[in-house]
Amino acid sequence: MAKFRKKPVDPNEIFEAFQWFESRGVNPNNAVKHELVDFGRAAFCVTTAHGQKAIVVDGDWIMAEPDGRGYYPIKPDIFANRYERVNEQAA
């Protein structure tokens, strides 16, 4: 997964995230545990640190909870406004 940090830049707050596209094999490198759940319709979900199911749709970004116990999706426009990609050499 690529590395990102929240804007304004906090050089110590770096995390991994990837953009979800079901048509691309769903889960690059099997980095995130996901499941297909039926909430009246089939939907892909990740489990949050609180054990809740969060639906993921194409284009959403998925990032790990800070404590590493779960994941959560972020809509692409919100992700673009809040986070920037980290240059791996500078990290």
Side-chain angles (χ1 to χ4, degrees), residues 24-90:
R24 293 187 190 165
V26 182
N27 188 4
N29 304 318
N30 292 320
V32 173
K33 183 179 181 211
H34 65 279
E35 52 191 292
L36 183 61
V37 178
D38 188 356
F39 293 110
R41 64 179 176 87
F44 282 100
C45 299
V46 292
T47 303
T48 69
H50 304 291
Q52 297 175 322
K53 304 292 183 202
I55 294 174
V56 181
V57 299
D58 273 5
D60 284 354
W61 284 86
I62 296 176
M63 63 187 285
E65 295 275 3
D67 62 8
R69 295 185 315 152
Y71 301 92
Y72 60 96
I74 303 173
K75 295 298 176 199
D77 57 334
I78 295 170
F79 189 88
N81 286 326
R82 289 189 184 166
Y83 302 100
E84 68 178 16
R85 192 171 192 138
V86 173
N87 180 341
E88 297 272 342
Q89 284 90 9

Side-chain angles (χ1 to χ4, degrees), residues 6-24:
K6 191 171 184 178
K7 299 176 192 175
V9 175
D10 176 352
N12 298 318
E13 191 175 337
I14 296 174
F15 62 91
E16 293 183 328
F18 72 92
Q19 197 166 18
W20 174 272
F21 290 103
E22 182 179 343
S23 61
R24 293 187 190 165

